[in-house]
């Protein structure tokens, strides 16, 4: 390379570094001006050497900057896409179908992006256009013509549908080909996408989870950003959504390959259809003192609509006279009250009681849970009876109506964290995920429903390694490994007055115990290095709200 070329390359690198540095500064300024107190607190933690706590704080603050995605594109995307572009893989031909039936605006831009694809010149068909004089592409006036054209393909018909105005990343076909070669049984491959603003700027990235048919029922995250093996017989009015062959799970291509003008929005579902023969449920409530919390919980259970359930209270050395009297009154009403003496061990106290419970379904319920919807248990039981489901968790809110639990993400802070925590419940948040039923890696035992036989099949809670924290995560991961996937049922909603009975882990002994349980979780399940399939590697691992990784 000549000296001039070297200088030009170095200058370009320097300019890129300067742009990234400027973007990073602006992102931090956005965070500082939006939440000055929280930002300064995070900075103080950083100076004090509390790096993990600081990263959690800054992850949420800078991730909500309107320039966060710009910084991600400048700093992380080039290397990821370059690795794809360097991968040469043989695969069947891919044809691109551009749908102009709604409007042809942006067709020229779509064709231009296809012209810049790396590695090949694909076949192009334009649906909804009958004027063949517009160019050398196939022009198909309607779906019948499209079906006939697909039938005439000489090999497997791999179709990449686009809407006019949508753009493809230059390495899009290379990325899809690489995944086709790795999973020859799959019929559908889908990628991440973002939106194009009116001035052509990329925004609102959707970093997607692994394939989840339950989430797909409420949120179409395939159509418009997927490649699929097309059967002409499946081409119908709802093109291309009804043309996907979902007999084999679609495969996620975790790269932003599609830049779109619009995309389907998530739809909050109505209440599920409740079967008439729901089984008996045994509810187990651990408690210690704090009679006000327990009373609220019991009042909520009294108001719960469910065909048949019983309640067992497990008392861990309550000494408050009012609590003791209240427990005596519950016994007189026929409610079972068991005593568990000694240091608090959430896992052990449940393991001791669950085998004697009457119901085929067991509901683990904290004493600081407040019932606000009498149908919550029927909704959760409907999910728990599915063959593929292990533990079912509910949407839990703090008293101020921000989200406390909407599922658990593995890997947050090296361990696990609650998804969407502190998001206002009336906000859409990250593509409405907090309000959509979906499979997930784990759910909290603060309100968990599962089959008793499956609890016993995996050995119940690990009372040796997880006395207080992460026992629910460990249980869910054991169930998942047996093919009983955790399930987040957003339509069951309750209030959680978190840790008011037991207290927070803020004294030296509790912090030491928590550190030991976190270390056990990392050792047993490698949560500090494994990727949660229902999350995304380009979403931050240092925050519980879904924001871009920086």
């Amino acid at each position: 390379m000549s000296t001039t070329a070297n200088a030009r390359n170095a200058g370009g690198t320097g300019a890129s570094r300067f742009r990234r540095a400027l973007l990073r500064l602006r992102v931090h300024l956005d965070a500082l001006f939006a939440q000055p107190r929280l930002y300064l607190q995070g900075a103080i933690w950083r100076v004090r050497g509390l790096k993990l706590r600081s990263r959690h704080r800054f992850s949420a603050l800078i991730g909500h900057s309107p320039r966060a995605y710009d910084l991600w594109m400048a700093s992380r995307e080039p290397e990821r896409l370059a690795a794809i572009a360097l991968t040469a893989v043989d695969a069947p031909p891919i044809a691109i179908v551009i749908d102009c039936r709604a409007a042809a605006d942006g067709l020229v831009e779509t064709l231009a992006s296809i012209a810049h694809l790396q590695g090949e010149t694909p076949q192009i068909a334009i649906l909804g256009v009958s004027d063949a004089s517009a160019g050398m592409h196939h022009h198909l006036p309607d779906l019948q013509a499209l079906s006939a054209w697909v039938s005439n393909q000489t090999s497997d018909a791999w179709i990449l549908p686009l809407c006019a105005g949508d753009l493809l990343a230059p390495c899009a076909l290379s990325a899809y080909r690489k995944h086709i070669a790795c999973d020859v049984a799959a019929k559908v491959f889908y990628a991440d996408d973002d939106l194009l603003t009116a001035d052509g700027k990329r925004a609102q990235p959707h970093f997607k989870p692994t394939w989840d048919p339950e989430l797909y029922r409420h949120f179409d995250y395939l159509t418009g950003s997927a490649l699929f093996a097309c059967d002409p017989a499946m081409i119908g009015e709802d093109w291309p959504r009804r043309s996907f062959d979902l007999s084999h799970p679609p495969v996620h291509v975790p790269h932003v390959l599609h830049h779109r003008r619009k995309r389907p929005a998530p739809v909050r579902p109505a209440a599920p259809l409740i079967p008439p023969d729901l089984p008996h449920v045994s509810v187990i409530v651990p408690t210690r003192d704090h009679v006000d919390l327990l009373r609220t919980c019991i009042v909520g259970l009294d108001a719960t609509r469910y065909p048949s359930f019983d309640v067992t209270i497990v008392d861990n050395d309550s000494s408050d006279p009012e609590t003791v009297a209240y427990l005596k009154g519950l016994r007189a009403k026929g409610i079972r009250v068991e005593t568990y003496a000694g240091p608090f061990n959430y896992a052990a106290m449940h393991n001791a009681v669950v085998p004697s419970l009457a119901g085929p379904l067991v509901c683990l319920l904290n004493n600081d849970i407040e019932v606000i919807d009498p149908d919550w248990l029927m909704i959760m039981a409907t999910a728990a009876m599915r063959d593929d489901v292990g533990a079912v968790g509910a949407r839990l809110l703090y008293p101020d109506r921000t989200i406390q639990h909407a599922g658990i993400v593995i890997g947050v802070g090296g361990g696990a964290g609650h998804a969407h925590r502190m998001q206002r419940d009336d906000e859409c948040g990250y593509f409405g995920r907090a309000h959509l039923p979906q499979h997930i890696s784990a759910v909290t035992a603060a309100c968990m429903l599962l089959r008793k036989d499956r609890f016993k099949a995996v050995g119940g809670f690990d009372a040796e390694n997880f006395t207080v924290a992460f026992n629910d995560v460990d249980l869910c991961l054991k169930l998942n490994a047996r093919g009983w996937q955790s399930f987040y049922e957003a339509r069951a909603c309750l209030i959680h007055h978190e840790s008011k009975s037991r207290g927070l882990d803020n004294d030296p002994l509790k912090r030491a115990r928590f550190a030991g349980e976190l270390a056990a979780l990392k050792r047993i399940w490698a949560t500090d290095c494994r990727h949660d399939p229902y999350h995304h590697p380009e979403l931050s691992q240092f925050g519980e709200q879904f924001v871009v990784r920086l």
Side-chain angles (χ1 to χ4, degrees):
M1 184 180 289
S2 68
T3 304
T4 304
N6 276 320
R8 187 183 303 117
N9 185 58
T13 302
S16 298
R17 289 175 178 171
F18 176 77
R19 179 173 179 268
R20 288 197 299 270
L22 182 60
L23 270 173
R24 190 171 296 278
L25 174 62
R26 297 179 74 179
V27 163
H28 276 270
L29 288 174
D30 288 339
L32 173 61
F33 292 142
Q35 298 280 357
R37 184 183 64 83
L38 297 181
Y39 186 94
L40 292 175
Q41 186 180 48
I44 291 171
W45 287 339
R46 182 72 176 180
V47 170
R48 292 174 54 195
L50 303 173
K51 293 183 179 180
L52 182 59
R53 188 179 298 183
S54 176
R55 282 184 172 180
H56 274 280
R57 173 58 52 81
F58 281 127
S59 169
L61 292 176
I62 68 177
H64 284 102
S65 164
R67 299 178 179 87
Y69 188 43
D70 294 331
L71 179 56
W72 181 89
M73 286 188 287
S75 59
R76 293 193 56 81
E77 186 178 45
E79 183 178 352
R80 289 171 58 81
L81 296 186
I84 297 171
L86 295 174
T87 304
V89 177
D90 291 330
I94 295 173
I96 297 177
V97 176
I98 307 172
D99 195 339
C100 294
R101 290 176 299 164
D105 296 344
L107 176 59
V108 173
E109 290 84 353
T110 300
L111 291 171
S113 80
I114 296 172
H116 288 90
L117 290 172
Q118 299 166 350
E120 67 179 273
T121 303
Q123 287 195 76
I124 301 174
I126 303 176
L127 177 61
V129 175
S130 58
D131 182 6
S133 64
M136 60 185 297
H137 311 302
H138 301 276
H139 292 80
L140 310 173
D142 51 34
L143 290 171
Q144 184 176 1
L146 172 62
S147 180
W149 179 74
V150 171
S151 298
N152 290 330
Q153 299 302 302
T154 57
S155 61
D156 294 337
W158 282 98
I159 303 297
L160 182 61
L162 299 174
C163 288
D166 290 358
L167 311 180
L168 286 172
C171 62
L173 296 191
S174 299
Y176 278 124
R177 287 189 176 286
K178 179 179 179 180
H179 283 77
I180 292 174
C182 292
D183 197 329
V184 295
K187 300 297 183 182
V188 180
F189 297 83
Y190 65 98
D192 303 328
D193 59 38
D194 55 24
L195 287 182
L196 296 170
T197 62
D199 57 359
K201 177 180 168 62
R202 290 170 56 189
Q204 299 181 45
H206 186 190
F207 295 108
K208 303 175 183 179
T210 191
W211 171 245
D212 179 3
E214 180 66 30
L215 180 61
Y216 181 64
R217 288 179 58 196
H218 315 293
F219 181 20
D220 178 6
Y221 57 94
L222 296 188
T223 303
S225 57
L227 170 77
F228 64 101
C230 185
D231 181 348
M234 297 174 67
I235 296 178
E237 284 304 317
D238 193 9
W239 164 266
R241 191 173 194 265
R242 298 297 181 191
S243 303
F244 297 143
D245 180 356
L246 303 180
S247 58
H248 186 283
V251 174
H252 182 209
V253 182
H255 300 283
V256 181
L257 304 182
H258 295 259
H259 315 304
R260 309 172 66 179
R261 297 293 177 184
K262 60 181 180 179
R263 58 190 169 201
V267 178
R268 292 195 188 187
L273 182 63
I274 306 297
D277 53 349
L278 289 173
H280 184 82
V281 174
S282 289
V283 181
I284 177 171
V285 182
T287 194
R288 176 190 286 175
D289 295 324
H290 291 274
V291 68
D292 53 334
L293 294 175
L294 181 59
R295 184 181 289 112
T296 298
C297 180
I298 296 299
V299 168
L301 286 170
D302 287 342
T304 294
R305 287 196 289 258
Y306 195 84
S308 175
F309 70 96
D310 65 79
V311 179
T312 296
I313 309 295
V314 183
D315 178 40
N316 181 212
D317 292 337
S318 290
S319 58
D320 169 61
E322 188 178 358
T323 303
V324 173
Y326 182 69
L327 291 173
K328 184 178 180 181
L330 292 180
R331 286 192 181 96
K333 292 180 180 179
I335 292 179
R336 178 184 176 190
V337 179
E338 293 288 334
T339 299
Y340 182 88
F344 181 80
N345 186 322
Y346 181 93
M349 62 200 303
H350 283 80
N351 287 347
V353 174
V354 166
S356 64
L357 297 178
L361 289 181
V362 173
C363 177
L364 312 181
L365 193 69
N366 278 17
N367 68 337
D368 53 4
I369 292 290
E370 177 183 348
V371 173
I372 56 175
D373 178 1
D375 293 332
W376 67 278
L377 190 54
M378 289 196 294
I379 293 171
M380 294 180 70
T382 299
M385 292 309 297
R386 290 169 45 167
D387 291 337
D388 62 327
V389 169
V392 179
R395 186 168 100 256
L396 303 181
L397 308 180
Y398 289 111
D400 66 358
R401 295 308 196 266
T402 57
I403 291 173
Q404 189 269 337
H405 169 269
I408 291 176
V409 176
I410 303 302
V412 173
H418 286 193
H420 315 289
R421 195 172 72 90
M422 304 304 296
Q423 174 186 309
R424 288 207 326 268
D425 192 46
D426 59 359
E427 289 180 338
C428 177
Y430 193 75
F431 297 95
R433 289 276 296 273
H435 297 94
L436 301 179
Q438 61 202 269
H439 290 95
I440 202 158
S441 289
V443 295
T444 180
C447 180
M448 176 191 288
L449 189 68
L450 74 165
R451 297 189 191 187
K452 184 171 69 174
D453 59 351
R454 294 184 175 178
F455 181 88
K456 294 168 62 177
V458 297
F461 287 121
D462 182 344
E464 180 178 350
N465 289 300
F466 307 106
T467 60
V468 178
F470 302 122
N471 41 60
D472 45 11
V473 176
D474 175 72
L475 176 67
C476 288
L477 294 178
K478 290 188 294 188
L479 291 164
N480 296 349
R482 296 284 293 269
W484 303 316
Q485 191 64 42
S486 304
F487 191 88
Y488 168 59
E489 180 46 275
R491 291 168 290 192
C493 184
L494 306 96
I495 301 295
H496 187 194
H497 301 266
E498 185 183 30
S499 299
K500 284 193 174 181
S501 179
R502 187 180 58 83
L504 299 173
D505 294 332
N506 55 7
D507 66 55
L509 288 178
K510 289 183 177 180
R511 284 201 298 268
R513 188 264 309 152
F514 179 85
E517 290 169 333
L518 176 58
L521 190 69
K522 293 177 180 180
R523 182 182 71 253
I524 296 169
W525 294 106
T527 54
D528 52 344
C529 58
R530 71 184 288 180
H531 164 59
D532 188 326
Y534 298 99
H535 203 236
H536 193 288
E538 291 308 307
L539 292 174
S540 174
Q541 294 293 306
F542 292 99
E544 293 170 308
Q545 296 188 19
F546 287 23
V547 295
V548 66
R549 174 183 178 184
L550 296 175

